[in-house]
Amino acid sequence: MDESRLLRCGLEAAEALVRNEPFEISLAEALYRIVGADSAVVNVWRGRPRAAPSLTLVGQSPRTAAELEAWARQFAGHPYFAHLLATGDPRPYRTSDFMPFHLFRQTAVYRKLLARDQLRHQLLMTLHLTDQDLVFVALLRRLHNFSDGEVGDLEQLRGPLSAALAYRAEVRAIQTKIRSDSLPAHPTEPGLTSRENQVLALIAVGCTNDQAAHRLGISTRTIRKHLEAVFAKAHVSSRAAAVAWWLRQAPGDSPQSTVVPQAP
């Protein structure tokens, strides 16, 4: 593994957080490639346990709302998260540090979310944990477990990313207070489809319409159609304004799963 590339990806994600820009897709893709996992996940779960998690996945099939809701109900039964909630220890651990695979495969989390992709081995690390919010990353493999060296390398990312998330949480808390003191309630906006969220996520990280179409395996004309639908829902007339509107929306109660297709 290229440790310097891994550290650069962590610093870039931390800088995006400080700038209040999306970081999930770029971080998941970098971890997926640099570490050499079969899948990478960035989970942002705000308002737990009432709300549902928002997952950005690279290298595995999409998750339905029912699957994510099942995970939200069962997540404390995962050995890593049982340890996290009991101790508050955010460091990276392998699932095998807590139980052998023949026991893990019997858990609801494995059966409902991982079995169909045969993702036997997991390396997880918590970046932010409060009474209501949880942000973590997970790397998954089918055939061989993660090494002690890979666990140590991932730990190096935790410091800057955790600090950036704490900073953003504090800034958002101040902004929320200012808005609640000075602005009327924002009207409820129509919900976006899963595909519209995917398009906006790619546009937000700098993709052109052509690049977004290539990544999603659809035509540029279809990208334009999705953006036109977003423009109508957000009452805006440009890509930049649509992304700004999208980033301002508070996370809803419905689960979201953003899957980043890999270009052939």
Side-chain angles (χ1 to χ4, degrees):
M1 185 195 308
D2 188 331
E3 295 180 24
S4 62
R5 285 183 62 204
L6 189 64
L7 287 172
R8 281 198 299 273
C9 98
L11 289 175
E12 288 168 0
E15 290 171 356
L17 280 162
V18 170
R19 295 193 299 266
N20 198 31
E21 296 173 353
F23 75 102
E24 295 90 342
I25 292 176
S26 59
L27 178 61
E29 288 187 324
L31 290 172
Y32 173 77
R33 292 191 174 93
I34 296 170
V35 178
D38 292 313
S39 176
V41 178
V42 176
N43 180 300
V44 178
W45 192 1
R46 297 192 183 98
R48 68 180 183 92
R50 180 181 61 85
S54 173
L55 269 66
T56 299
L57 308 103
V58 176
Q60 60 177 290
S61 50
R63 302 302 174 200
T64 66
E67 287 174 320
L68 294 181
E69 288 170 358
W71 183 88
R73 289 193 299 270
Q74 300 290 337
F75 96 102
H78 189 291
Y80 172 83
F81 293 108
H83 172 79
L84 174 69
L85 295 176
T87 66
D89 180 3
R91 292 176 298 171
Y93 287 97
R94 296 158 291 205
T95 305
S96 59
D97 292 329
F98 302 103
M99 66 172 57
F101 177 68
H102 76 273
L103 294 179
F104 179 57
R105 71 186 300 175
Q106 299 173 26
T107 64
V109 171
Y110 181 79
R111 289 186 283 105
K112 292 181 180 295
L113 279 181
L114 304 176
R116 74 181 185 187
D117 291 316
Q118 299 180 341
L119 295 166
R120 297 162 53 99
H121 306 289
Q122 294 179 281
L123 174 57
L124 304 102
M125 178 175 68
T126 298
L127 302 177
H128 186 65
L129 175 65
T130 68
D131 290 342
Q132 293 190 330
D133 297 341
L134 171 65
V135 180
F136 71 87
V137 299
L139 300 174
L140 305 98
R141 284 181 180 150
R142 297 182 178 89
L143 297 180
H144 61 280
N145 206 353
F146 295 90
S147 68
D148 291 344
E150 288 169 329
V151 174
D153 289 341
L154 197 64
E155 166 68 8
Q156 295 185 66
L157 297 185
R158 190 168 59 82
L161 289 172
S162 295
L165 281 161
Y167 170 82
R168 189 164 83 168
E170 186 172 352
V171 169
R172 283 181 167 174
I174 294 171
Q175 291 172 333
T176 298
K177 178 172 173 50
I178 292 172
R179 285 196 296 267
S180 65
D181 289 345
S182 61
L183 296 176
H186 196 284
T188 301
E189 297 289 352
L192 299 180
T193 67
S194 174
R195 183 63 91 190
E196 289 165 355
N197 273 300
Q198 290 178 333
V199 169
L200 286 171
L202 292 171
I203 298 301
V205 295
C207 287
T208 64
N209 285 4
D210 288 343
Q211 290 169 335
H214 177 67
R215 292 283 292 279
L216 295 173
I218 58 181
S219 69
T220 303
R221 183 175 180 274
T222 301
I223 292 289
R224 288 197 297 268
K225 289 293 184 182
H226 285 307
L227 286 174
E228 288 170 4
V230 172
F231 293 168
K233 292 176 181 180
H235 308 294
V236 299
S237 58
S238 71
R239 285 160 36 107
V243 168
W245 170 85
W246 182 64
L247 294 175
R248 287 197 303 269
Q249 304 311 298
D253 291 344
S254 58
Q256 301 175 36
S257 175
T258 302
V259 180
V260 184
Q262 299 304 297

